[in-house]
Amino acid sequence: MPAHTYVDRNHENEIVERAFTEVLDGHDLELIPELYAEDCLLYGMSGPEPIDREEYEAFLSMHFSAFPDLSFAIEETIADGDRVSVRWTARGTHEGALMDIPATGKSVAVTGISFVHVEDGEIVEVYNNHDMLGLLQQLDAIPDSPRKIVRLMIGQLKGRLADR
């Protein structure tokens, strides 16, 4: 099966593909104003509230600093009119701080799905869902099994009780 599967190949597909190949994979933040509408909203990037185009640029900049070799591969794309769905995989090496997580030197792979709405040649909305839990586990930022989580919680509880 080819890496890219397109249904209803159209101009919207091309815009979304450029966002993935040039902005995300190519780390070209200067293309954001060209591809994303000024009032674009992006959901699922860093919490339940959407972020705007400026916040998206800062979000990407932080990730590009934390993972200088960050790459994105489009696994599958399906389009229906002005809506494009992309299944993707991101890979990189954690060489800089990410939020409160210091560099680990670990290589990670994260999968995700993005639903993109394009109007008048610009991306106006993105709904993103990616494996954040898997990323945090790969960085050893959280326990990778239920048993370890329970042990961590019990340890924290014992610590609080001992402080009383």
Side-chain angles (χ1 to χ4, degrees):
M1 178 197 282
H4 303 273
T5 304
Y6 294 102
V7 177
D8 184 23
R9 181 82 173 142
N10 56 28
H11 185 62
E12 286 79 6
N13 291 69
E14 293 169 7
I15 292 165
V16 173
E17 185 172 349
R18 283 190 68 203
F20 273 86
T21 59
E22 297 176 38
V23 175
L24 296 175
D25 193 52
H27 299 204
D28 190 349
L29 298 176
E30 291 181 16
L31 280 176
I32 289 176
E34 178 183 333
L35 298 175
Y36 293 81
E38 189 173 342
D39 59 350
C40 179
L41 292 176
L42 300 103
Y43 296 84
M45 299 296 168
S46 59
E49 297 300 317
I51 61 176
D52 62 23
R53 189 172 79 176
E54 185 176 303
E55 292 166 319
Y56 183 54
E57 187 172 337
F59 173 86
L60 290 180
S61 183
M62 174 185 64
H63 281 80
F64 295 159
S65 292
F67 301 91
D69 62 344
L70 186 62
S71 66
F72 281 79
I74 296 173
E75 306 295 346
E76 184 174 15
T77 303
I78 301 173
D80 183 14
D82 61 359
R83 311 275 177 176
V84 181
S85 302
V86 180
R87 184 174 58 85
W88 51 266
T89 302
R91 290 181 172 78
T93 308
H94 186 216
E95 296 180 9
L98 178 67
M99 297 173 283
D100 293 334
I101 306 169
T104 63
K106 293 181 179 282
S107 293
V108 299
V110 176
T111 58
I113 297 176
S114 298
F115 296 95
V116 184
H117 182 195
V118 179
E119 284 183 0
D120 300 322
E122 294 180 313
I123 296 170
V124 295
E125 272 183 323
V126 178
Y127 290 88
N128 189 60
N129 190 333
H130 61 281
D131 184 13
M132 186 63 161
L133 177 60
L135 171 63
L136 294 173
Q137 287 174 333
Q138 291 173 71
L139 297 176
D140 290 330
I142 59 170
D144 60 356
S145 74
R147 181 167 292 181
K148 288 180 184 176
I149 293 171
V150 169
R151 282 190 206 138
L152 177 66
M153 291 171 63
I154 290 171
Q156 289 175 346
L157 182 58
K158 284 181 181 177
R160 288 184 188 149
L161 292 174
D163 290 340
R164 288 185 174 186

